[in-house]
Amino acid sequence: MELFKQKCPVTGSGVWFLGCLVWDFLSLVLLSACVSANLFFVTGHMTDLLFTEKDLVTSLKDYIRAEESKLEQIKKWADKLDVLSAAATQDPEGFLGHPVNAFKLMKRLNTEWGELESLVLTDVSDVFISNLTIQRQYFPNDDDQTGAAKALMRLQDTYQLDTNAISTGELPGLTLTVDDCYDLGKVVYSEADYYHTELWMAQALRQLDQGETSRAVDAVTVLDYLSYSVYQQGELERALEFTRRLLDLDPTHQRANGNLKYFEYQLAKQKKVEKVEEKEEESKVRQRRESKDDYLPERKKYEQLCRGQGIKLTPRRQSRLFCRYYDNNRHPRYVIGPVQQEDEWDSPHIVRYHNIVSEKDMEKVKELAKPRLRRATVHDPHTGKLTTAHYRVSKSAWLGAYEHPVVDKINQLIEDVTGLNVKTAEDLQVANYGLGGQYEPHFDFGRKDEPDAFEELGTGNRIATWLLYMTDVQAGGATVFTDIGAAVKPKKGTAVFWYNLYPSGEGDYRTRHAACPVLLGNKWVSNKWIHERGQEFRRRCSLNETD
């Protein structure tokens, strides 16, 4: 993988050096988690599931101890009677000739065996079952498992992760069993994603061939999925190969026998096609396998940037990027204690402010947002309303300035640093991206073909964006600008700022950006979308559309 290093010259009177931004995916670990297709669980909510499972394990251990205690009592009783009956049956008449033995036999059969029966019938699982039933309402469902599988596929595609490396633990972290690989393949199969079905079923078969055992999966079942998934991708010869191998293991397999004849017929028919047409078909097959969406060119660029590749940081451009102490034209708050500002990109101008919000304030914002996290929304260009979208996978909450002094404090900070009026800005949006969480390429501002965008707010278009990173992310989660080839890595306590509009009010299409999937870690951000209204004397207009 490419390493991206940016060196910042130092300007100003102080000696402050920010050092280098190094792109390197350290430990690429894929964790098992629920990223719901409908609920979109994020790390903040999945934490609760971990503690729920921990409580259930404790309850399960209590149940096991109770069962063991019951069995121990039964075992002692059985051992005692075993010794007694062995001695008694050697001389039954002599044994029963003793009045005490006769009395104790009557007592055991009349009373003690009844008590033993009650003990055996005692159900000590009541507490555990009751706890499990209560907690089950919070468990993930089939949609959640499908969402988790989709997140894993998204990470696999974006970061070009190999199934074998993921499954066998070559990347530091947990390994996946045959059952795990099979379940992943089965989930994406149900979504008609035959490309990923093939990858994961092939991995399950590879692990079975290497001697790994499974209680629920065998090679015949895996080969059945494999043959059909490659057939659906137009690869008849491979489908035939997998089918023949299946029949070697199970010659009576009804579906495989039918498929064998059909595949042989289709393959013979295909070989009669002219070579030119055959090449065209192969090209179409490759396109079907590689094109998993309708916007491949931009998506390819987006995924490359997420991997740290294709970043257009030339030496000439880098020479124009500086670090400085910034006081916003001698703003009273920053004359004595200026903020640390770093250029991330020259045109459009993207800047990062370091150590801009305290740890305490960021934790308070997360605390306020957690109970209110909901599936993140986007503006519908046709209705102007907020709606959910498949390309934004995160949860978000909105915090007004009146809700807590910390929110008001951050709003004031944004106004003081940027010089823009935040009274007409949208509320502070807090977003949490869990495993696979992303926001695909988009504009923050409303385009001309979206006449109703932000109309209900009555504050004009989004003139600028303030994005605060509230956590470090171990791998993935970068903010990338697809048009200009820029990438900004999350760094806790820093904020990135850019203008979405030119001074003329025209949209700057170079600001199209995306949030890369989180590969490892937990990403919390908060953003402020600042609007045009109220900026008339703070950012002067220009007659030049791109000036």
Side-chain angles (χ1 to χ4, degrees):
M1 295 189 183
E2 285 188 14
L3 298 180
F4 162 51
K5 299 183 179 180
Q6 173 183 335
K7 295 183 178 179
C8 265
V10 180
T11 61
S13 57
V15 179
W16 176 58
F17 181 65
L18 285 180
C20 305
L21 294 176
V22 181
W23 283 92
D24 187 7
F25 297 108
L26 301 174
S27 302
L28 305 180
V29 181
L30 292 171
L31 304 177
S32 174
C34 298
V35 183
S36 168
N38 294 318
L39 299 178
F40 283 87
F41 281 106
V42 290
T43 309
H45 284 178
M46 286 193 293
T47 301
D48 297 336
L49 291 180
L50 282 177
F51 284 104
T52 295
E53 188 173 50
K54 182 181 179 182
D55 291 341
L56 284 175
V57 170
T58 301
S59 180
L60 179 61
K61 286 183 176 180
D62 290 340
Y63 161 66
I64 292 170
R65 280 192 290 269
E67 287 283 12
E68 288 175 340
S69 175
K70 186 177 84 170
L71 288 172
E72 185 63 28
Q73 292 179 61
I74 296 171
K75 184 175 181 297
K76 287 180 179 178
W77 171 263
D79 290 343
K80 182 179 74 172
L81 285 184
D82 185 40
V83 173
L84 184 64
S85 61
T89 54
Q90 288 180 359
D91 182 12
E93 291 185 3
F95 180 82
L96 292 174
H98 196 296
V100 172
N101 288 340
F103 167 74
K104 294 184 74 172
L105 176 62
M106 295 300 107
K107 178 187 173 187
R108 281 198 305 275
L109 293 174
N110 181 53
T111 305
E112 294 181 9
W113 274 99
E115 292 173 353
L116 180 64
E117 181 183 20
S118 297
L119 177 61
V120 171
L121 292 175
T122 301
D123 189 354
V124 295
S125 67
D126 287 350
V127 175
F128 170 69
I129 294 300
S130 176
N131 191 18
L132 181 61
T133 302
I134 292 171
Q135 298 295 350
R136 192 183 295 279
Q137 62 184 311
Y138 305 112
F139 281 15
N141 55 29
D142 289 343
D143 288 339
D144 300 324
Q145 185 175 344
T146 300
K150 286 182 176 179
L152 208 54
M153 303 307 135
R154 186 159 54 245
L155 293 173
Q156 185 179 4
D157 292 341
T158 301
Y159 298 108
Q160 294 184 340
L161 303 176
D162 177 65
T163 51
N164 189 58
I166 298 168
S167 180
T168 59
E170 288 179 25
L171 303 174
L174 301 175
T175 60
L176 296 177
T177 64
V178 168
D179 293 329
D180 292 332
C181 297
Y182 171 77
D183 287 337
L184 278 169
K186 199 165 68 167
V187 167
V188 292
Y189 175 85
S190 67
E191 297 288 312
D193 181 355
Y194 301 114
Y195 170 74
H196 286 109
T197 301
E198 178 197 344
L199 292 180
W200 286 102
M201 289 300 176
Q203 180 59 32
L205 184 64
R206 186 180 300 116
Q207 290 179 214
L208 285 171
D209 290 343
Q210 291 170 352
E212 185 176 335
T213 58
S214 169
R215 291 175 298 175
V217 184
D218 57 26
V220 169
T221 306
V222 174
L223 285 164
D224 196 16
Y225 277 101
L226 257 179
S227 63
Y228 188 73
S229 62
V230 295
Y231 161 70
Q232 283 291 337
Q233 297 175 81
E235 299 186 39
L236 279 168
E237 289 188 5
R238 293 186 66 219
L240 194 58
E241 177 187 337
F242 286 129
T243 304
R244 284 172 176 159
R245 182 176 171 186
L246 188 162
L247 289 170
D248 287 341
L249 298 173
D250 183 4
T252 63
H253 198 285
Q254 187 175 356
R255 183 169 48 249
N257 277 299
N259 287 344
L260 179 68
K261 295 177 182 177
Y262 178 73
F263 292 158
E264 286 176 339
Y265 166 74
Q266 288 291 333
L267 190 59
K269 183 179 175 182
Q270 185 185 59
K271 287 181 177 179
K272 294 179 182 179
V273 178
E274 294 182 0
K275 291 184 179 180
V276 175
E277 293 181 357
E278 190 176 38
K279 289 180 179 179
E280 290 177 354
E281 179 61 25
E282 288 173 359
S283 176
K284 290 177 182 178
V285 169
R286 284 195 299 272
Q287 290 173 10
R288 283 198 298 272
R289 294 192 63 176
E290 294 173 359
S291 301
K292 291 179 281 296
D293 46 54
D294 298 327
Y295 44 99
L296 180 64
E298 183 180 50
R299 182 172 186 84
K300 194 170 184 179
K301 187 185 299 183
Y302 156 61
E303 291 179 348
Q304 284 180 337
L305 289 169
C306 288
R307 295 192 296 270
Q309 301 169 349
I311 297 170
K312 300 176 182 177
L313 186 67
T314 62
R316 183 178 180 183
R317 168 167 280 125
Q318 189 171 3
S319 69
R320 296 196 291 264
L321 304 180
F322 295 91
C323 307
R324 63 187 66 82
Y325 286 111
Y326 180 74
D327 62 12
N328 193 14
N329 295 320
R330 300 188 63 77
H331 189 285
R333 288 181 183 270
Y334 303 119
V335 171
I336 296 177
V339 296
Q340 300 170 350
Q341 185 190 69
E342 175 187 4
D343 295 328
E344 288 286 350
W345 210 256
D346 57 343
S347 183
H349 194 203
I350 304 170
V351 296
R352 187 199 292 261
Y353 297 98
H354 289 260
N355 303 313
I356 199 68
V357 177
S358 70
E359 173 87 19
K360 181 180 178 182
D361 288 349
M362 288 188 290
E363 289 304 312
K364 174 54 70 174
V365 168
K366 287 191 280 187
E367 179 187 325
L368 294 169
K370 277 181 182 179
R372 297 157 60 174
L373 287 173
R374 297 293 182 271
R375 171 83 187 276
T377 56
V378 298
H379 269 280
D380 188 315
H382 302 294
T383 65
K385 307 287 186 181
L386 289 173
T387 183
T388 58
H390 73 279
Y391 53 82
R392 188 175 192 187
V393 185
S394 66
K395 279 194 171 185
S396 65
W398 298 84
L399 302 178
Y402 61 87
E403 297 187 55
H404 195 277
V406 166
V407 182
D408 186 46
K409 177 182 175 183
I410 290 175
N411 286 344
Q412 188 60 54
L413 166 74
I414 295 171
E415 180 163 320
D416 293 341
V417 171
T418 66
L420 298 176
N421 187 345
V422 299
K423 291 181 175 60
T424 58
E426 296 171 48
D427 286 342
L428 190 70
Q429 186 188 48
V430 182
N432 182 209
Y433 296 81
L435 179 72
Q438 65 169 6
Y439 192 176
E440 291 182 4
H442 62 282
F443 298 105
D444 282 349
F445 63 89
R447 274 78 67 210
K448 289 181 178 180
D449 58 348
E450 301 171 356
D452 296 329
F454 316 120
E455 182 179 15
E456 61 184 29
L457 299 177
T459 54
N461 211 340
R462 288 172 174 168
I463 192 173
T465 295
W466 170 280
L467 178 63
L468 172 68
Y469 298 111
M470 298 193 292
T471 53
D472 291 315
V473 180
Q474 291 166 273
T479 304
V480 297
F481 293 78
T482 53
D483 186 73
I484 58 176
V488 179
K489 188 177 181 181
K491 184 177 180 182
K492 188 175 183 179
T494 70
V496 179
F497 175 79
W498 68 86
Y499 281 103
N500 296 305
L501 306 179
Y502 289 106
S504 63
E506 293 293 320
D508 188 345
Y509 285 81
R510 299 172 301 171
T511 62
R512 187 168 176 82
H513 60 285
C516 296
V518 175
L519 179 59
L520 176 61
N522 182 19
K523 180 181 176 183
W524 280 90
V525 299
S526 61
N527 59 277
K528 193 78 170 174
W529 283 309
I530 305 170
H531 284 249
E532 291 177 292
R533 190 67 53 83
Q535 319 306 337
E536 293 83 355
F537 299 103
R538 300 195 181 212
R539 191 192 191 211
R540 299 287 183 177
C541 297
S542 171
L543 296 178
N544 189 336
E545 286 192 1
T546 59
D547 190 13

